Amino acid sequence: MVGAIYLLVMSVLLYNPDRKDKQEFISEFVIRTEIFEEIFKDIKSGKMTTPEQHYLLLGQRGAGKTTMLLRLKYAVEDDPKLSKWLIPVIFSEEQYNVGELGDLWERIAEYLEDYHGITGITDEMEPFIQQDNYEEALFRTLIKHLDQHKKKIVLLIDNIGQLLAKFEELEVRRVREILQTIPHLRLIAGSPVVLESVLDYQQPLFEFFKMIQLKGLTNEESIALLRQLAVVHHEEEKIERIIKNTPERISTLRTLSGGVPRTMSLLFQIFVDDEHGSALSDLEKVLDAVTPLYKHRMDDLPPQQQKIVDAVALHWEAISVKDLTKQVRLDSKLISAQLRQLEKNQVIEKRATNTKNHIYLLRERFFNIWYLMRYGRKQDRNRVVWLVKFLESWCDKSEIEKRIQDYIDKAKNGLLDKHTFEVYGQVYTFFQDIDAETKYQLKESIPGHIAQNISITESDFLFLLDKAINKKDYDSFIKIAKSRYDLDITAREKIAYYVNEHSGALRDRILKMMQDELRPFRNTKLKFQAPYLYLALSLSINADALPKSIIYKNPETTELAIKSATRLAHQLANLKELTSYETSLINNIIFALFVGEYYQHAFKIIGMIPLHETDSYLLRILGSYLESNQEEKDFFSKWGTELQEPIQLLAETLLATRQNIKEWQ
């Protein structure tokens, strides 16, 4: 379980790596080492007798820009030769006390005094503060003290775009001029977005920096990071087991996090735990922890890009420019241009299709999940879509089923708090492509208003019936069979067949249930809607009871059986078509009525039920023939001589049965 203290500590260290112990930080620096070596090699080889190459690290927030700058700072400090003449000056992302270029020189002076013992700079600067050309005077003072101490500066500034945005254009041009002509300063900066001032040839810093992009971690880098995190959290065995047995989970983590180290680090504990129960609160805590990161990411974007990202995020699936134009009401060419910029800044990912038109989605899926949680629609089921998308991204089908089964078990045993019970109940209703038995158990485990969102298909239903019967779990069979009212002909055939084949085990159970459920409806005008299971049993019982009552010449039981048969016919009348089993039982009832000479009751039932037209026609003729006193020749001249033979054969059988009953009595 991810504890609140754990997340607090993780958040502080991830957002503020400078608070971590230096040696611990260096030992944990295991990714982007090639980029570090490239830049540091350049720093070591440069003597700064002339202006050196300046760098711009590009990467979305959390990609490791601050970490890289801090690692370079420590490397310079720890190098015995470099540290004698080169001072790394590092500033945090937000410099609220720098509003113009002169402020920057003051902050550098303060840094040198506070951390490197070069005293007297700010005192010497003080008289110039109120002068018109104070910035130039402050800079000259700074350079003078650097020369006196034979020092140079490598300036490490994160989020350089935010700083430059505060400067007027002339000040930005002045920065370029200084960095191009004065060898005392070297700039290595970070930015979450590609700066317009770097891309636009009309801007002062056009093609000024050597740009290095901090892309999402590769699979090898991800493994290196996870192994290091495992050491920190004492989870080495778990990580090695994952790497060996389920390496695809690492790919899932990379996809979900977009390969962003900070996101991967925050998700680490959930990644190794992967247990149900505390997962919701853990995930919510992680989402809270990444809020500053993702909020900054949105704030870094200009308004039009924010609008486009909002539409892409709320859509979740990849979306076309054509669909985006409808969502954001901007010209398609403008949207395409902004998407290209967002792609460069690693916010958006472009995917090819079978046509010339591409589709776009948020590159970091966890960012999208956070966005859905914060800004997605809150009505009904949609309020949990963010969690659905997380699980879809995080788990394969077998893991989803395992989680659902765990949820069911804990729900049955009352081990879930109300919030988790309801939220996950809603979430799991989105997963329809799961084992039928798991789906049914889930439906039975959650409140009715949530369960109605779970669709038990006809094939699911038949599978569940078969499984219950094969296990001889008759109570479950009854419960499953009762759960559906609108059944197709295949399902009715199966239920009726099983009711007949397993009547010894099922009959008393179903009868007791029927009686209990019918009791409140007695002596009321309320209508009881019976499930088909009850109809199937009633039909089976009546097809057996009616012939017996006629055989035994019991008027009371015969009358009751006929009334029951008529009620059954009313219920069967609602069906479009009878199953072969239903037809067989109905024929038994009708034949029994013919044998007992209850012709009008038989004709009434024939007229009510949806028998095949030919069967209905033949039964009517058979009944009329048995009831008629006409000569055979006269009778069949009316109905057709082609029917004479089959009708006579049926009639002979029924008449023989009637005679046998009389003789038996």
Side-chain angles (χ1 to χ4, degrees):
M1 179 176 177
V2 179
I5 295 175
Y6 162 82
L7 273 174
L8 177 62
V9 172
M10 283 294 290
S11 298
V12 168
L13 296 179
L14 286 169
Y15 290 104
N16 305 279
D18 56 313
R19 297 193 184 185
K20 187 175 286 190
D21 175 76
K22 178 179 176 179
Q23 293 308 316
E24 186 180 339
F25 171 89
I26 292 172
S27 67
E28 292 174 10
F29 187 85
V30 294
I31 56 173
R32 309 211 191 276
T33 53
E34 289 183 6
I35 294 174
F36 162 73
E37 294 293 347
E38 176 190 341
I39 299 173
F40 187 58
K41 182 180 178 182
D42 191 19
I43 293 173
K44 285 173 69 175
S45 63
K47 303 304 179 186
M48 292 184 69
T49 53
T50 58
E52 298 286 351
Q53 174 68 62
H54 305 286
Y55 286 87
L56 179 62
L57 302 175
L58 290 171
Q60 56 188 301
R61 290 182 182 270
K65 301 181 299 297
T66 304
T67 300
M68 183 64 72
L69 295 176
L70 187 59
R71 182 66 187 93
L72 289 168
K73 172 183 180 288
Y74 289 152
V76 172
E77 289 175 343
D78 292 345
D79 188 283
K81 292 182 180 179
L82 276 178
S83 58
K84 289 179 179 179
W85 62 271
L86 185 61
I87 298 175
V89 175
I90 191 165
F91 289 131
S92 60
E93 290 186 56
E94 293 80 20
Q95 283 297 314
Y96 298 114
N97 55 357
V98 176
E100 50 192 355
L101 185 54
D103 296 334
L104 179 61
W105 309 138
E106 283 190 83
R107 301 293 85 76
I108 293 173
E110 291 169 354
Y111 190 97
L112 294 175
E113 289 180 341
D114 292 344
Y115 296 101
H116 293 276
I118 302 178
T119 58
I121 312 176
T122 54
D123 288 340
E124 192 172 333
M125 286 180 171
E126 184 68 30
F128 301 113
I129 298 295
Q130 303 303 322
Q131 295 182 9
D132 291 339
N133 63 341
Y134 89 100
E135 179 271 316
E136 293 180 13
L138 297 188
F139 183 69
R140 284 196 302 271
T141 304
L142 178 62
I143 297 301
K144 171 188 166 184
H145 281 267
L146 288 173
D147 284 338
Q148 286 175 354
H149 290 82
K150 297 181 180 180
K151 301 289 185 182
K152 300 289 177 72
I153 288 175
V154 56
L155 196 55
L156 306 166
I157 302 179
D158 202 358
N159 210 358
I160 188 71
Q162 195 173 73
L163 182 67
L164 294 175
K166 298 178 182 180
F167 296 170
E168 294 181 2
E169 185 177 339
L170 285 176
E171 290 182 302
V172 178
R173 292 186 182 279
R174 166 86 168 142
V175 169
R176 179 184 180 111
E177 179 189 349
I178 288 171
L179 294 175
Q180 279 185 323
T181 59
I182 307 296
H184 295 68
L185 301 176
R186 184 174 199 175
L187 176 61
I188 301 175
S191 175
V193 295
V194 180
L195 302 176
E196 188 178 337
S197 57
V198 174
L199 293 177
D200 189 346
Y201 72 92
Q202 294 181 324
Q203 296 296 320
L205 297 177
F206 176 64
E207 294 185 342
F208 180 71
F209 294 100
K210 178 177 181 179
M211 292 193 288
I212 295 179
Q213 199 154 42
L214 303 185
K215 298 179 179 179
L217 299 185
T218 64
N219 192 62
E220 291 73 20
E221 289 173 323
S222 299
I223 290 173
L225 176 62
L226 290 172
R227 279 182 165 142
Q228 184 55 51
L229 288 168
V231 171
V232 173
H233 300 289
H234 310 292
E235 299 282 12
E236 295 97 319
E237 287 186 16
K238 280 188 178 180
I239 281 297
E240 292 305 323
R241 204 159 50 240
I242 289 170
I243 293 169
K244 181 180 178 181
N245 300 328
T246 54
E248 64 277 3
R249 287 188 60 205
I250 297 171
S251 297
T252 300
L253 179 62
R254 281 180 59 223
T255 300
L256 193 60
S257 65
V260 176
R262 191 182 295 170
T263 309
M264 293 179 77
S265 299
L266 283 167
L267 285 170
F268 176 79
Q269 206 63 49
I270 292 178
F271 180 71
V272 293
D273 285 349
D274 201 28
E275 296 292 338
H276 196 282
S278 62
L280 177 59
S281 58
D282 290 352
L283 183 57
E284 287 174 335
K285 289 172 189 172
V286 171
L287 285 163
D288 283 342
V290 296
T291 292
L293 168 69
Y294 292 152
K295 192 173 183 305
H296 274 304
R297 187 176 295 176
M298 287 299 292
D299 292 342
D300 287 337
L301 303 175
Q304 284 186 347
Q305 290 185 14
Q306 287 179 350
K307 197 172 183 181
I308 291 169
V309 168
D310 172 80
V312 173
L314 294 180
H315 191 266
W316 176 261
E317 304 293 347
I319 187 171
S320 67
V321 171
K322 182 180 178 181
D323 289 333
L324 276 173
T325 57
K326 299 173 187 175
Q327 296 287 329
V328 300
R329 296 187 294 279
L330 292 172
D331 181 74
S332 61
K333 290 182 179 178
L334 179 58
I335 291 174
S336 295
Q338 297 288 12
L339 285 169
R340 283 193 293 273
Q341 190 66 30
L342 287 164
E343 190 182 359
K344 285 180 182 176
N345 290 330
Q346 302 183 65
V347 177
I348 289 288
E349 181 179 315
K350 178 174 69 177
R351 291 188 177 175
T353 64
N354 294 329
T355 69
K356 63 179 182 179
N357 299 316
H358 296 98
I359 51 179
Y360 302 85
L361 73 165
L362 288 195
R363 186 173 182 277
E364 186 185 333
R365 307 314 286 151
F366 197 65
F367 174 38
N368 205 146
I369 287 163
W370 171 84
Y371 201 91
L372 285 172
M373 185 194 74
R374 295 272 297 193
Y375 305 110
R377 298 190 66 183
K378 299 298 186 282
Q379 290 88 351
D380 305 322
R381 296 172 78 212
N382 287 325
R383 66 192 176 93
V384 297
V385 165
W386 63 272
L387 184 51
V388 174
K389 299 306 180 186
F390 173 79
L391 291 172
E392 284 178 344
S393 303
W394 194 250
C395 309
D396 61 20
K397 184 182 175 183
S398 64
E399 287 172 333
I400 289 291
E401 294 212 14
K402 179 184 173 185
R403 283 173 174 268
I404 293 175
Q405 198 59 59
D406 182 57
Y407 169 86
I408 292 166
D409 293 341
K410 287 180 176 173
K412 284 180 180 176
N413 294 307
L415 299 177
L416 298 175
D417 62 83
K418 184 179 179 183
H419 178 59
T420 302
F421 176 64
E422 291 188 356
V423 169
Y424 269 100
Q426 284 279 17
V427 165
Y428 289 142
T429 64
F430 282 83
F431 296 95
Q432 298 291 336
D433 185 26
I434 57 175
D435 176 74
E437 192 169 15
T438 303
K439 193 191 298 185
Y440 176 74
Q441 289 174 353
L442 176 64
K443 192 176 180 75
E444 293 296 307
S445 302
I446 57 180
H449 70 283
I450 300 175
Q452 66 185 2
N453 295 312
I454 297 177
S455 173
I456 303 294
T457 65
E458 205 69 35
S459 60
D460 290 338
F461 182 69
L462 296 176
F463 172 83
L464 291 167
L465 290 175
D466 289 340
K467 190 155 189 178
I469 284 293
N470 291 336
K471 290 165 64 177
K472 295 186 178 179
D473 185 356
Y474 297 115
D475 290 334
S476 291
F477 172 82
I478 292 169
K479 195 172 184 180
I480 294 162
K482 278 184 60 190
S483 67
R484 290 176 80 93
Y485 287 83
D486 186 19
L487 299 173
D488 69 8
I489 196 165
T490 306
R492 295 199 331 261
E493 184 78 44
K494 180 156 287 195
I495 289 174
Y497 171 77
Y498 282 147
V499 165
N500 186 61
E501 286 295 306
H502 297 263
S503 59
L506 290 171
R507 180 168 172 159
D508 290 344
R509 283 182 169 91
I510 299 173
L511 281 174
K512 184 180 184 307
M513 198 172 289
M514 285 173 63
Q515 290 166 359
D516 291 343
E517 291 181 14
L518 280 167
R519 193 172 291 116
F521 291 86
R522 288 174 185 161
N523 303 318
T524 71
K525 293 183 179 180
L526 297 173
K527 188 176 180 181
F528 175 67
Q529 186 182 6
Y532 177 76
L533 177 70
Y534 294 173
L535 177 60
L537 180 65
S538 299
L539 194 57
S540 177
I541 291 173
N542 193 264
D544 180 58
L546 182 58
K548 285 181 179 177
S549 66
I550 289 172
I551 290 171
Y552 292 111
K553 284 282 186 179
N554 188 324
E556 288 184 9
T557 56
T558 301
E559 184 181 354
L560 287 172
I562 290 173
K563 284 182 178 179
S564 176
T566 306
R567 282 197 299 271
L568 287 170
H570 272 292
Q571 290 177 273
L572 291 171
N574 296 321
L575 303 175
K576 292 180 181 179
E577 181 184 2
L578 296 184
T579 68
S580 58
Y581 187 76
E582 290 163 350
T583 302
S584 173
L585 293 178
I586 282 294
N587 284 340
N588 287 348
I589 291 170
I590 292 170
F591 289 159
L593 291 171
F594 284 162
V595 169
E597 300 182 70
Y598 296 99
Y599 296 113
Q600 296 310 308
H601 289 296
F603 290 144
K604 184 177 181 181
I605 289 172
I606 292 168
M608 291 166 64
I609 58 178
L611 286 167
H612 190 277
E613 189 176 340
T614 304
D615 291 344
S616 179
Y617 182 64
L618 287 172
L619 286 171
R620 286 180 182 279
I621 295 173
L622 175 61
S624 298
Y625 176 70
L626 291 168
E627 189 181 26
S628 173
N629 294 318
Q630 286 182 283
E631 293 290 329
E632 289 181 5
K633 183 179 179 182
D634 295 335
F635 182 85
F636 286 108
S637 65
K638 176 183 176 182
W639 295 101
T641 55
E642 70 277 3
L643 296 176
Q644 183 171 350
E645 185 176 351
I647 292 296
Q648 282 182 329
L649 284 172
L650 285 170
E652 287 172 7
T653 302
L654 294 176
L655 290 170
T657 302
R658 186 185 294 171
Q659 184 60 37
N660 289 336
I661 291 171
K662 286 180 179 179
E663 291 175 1
W664 180 80
Q665 291 171 340

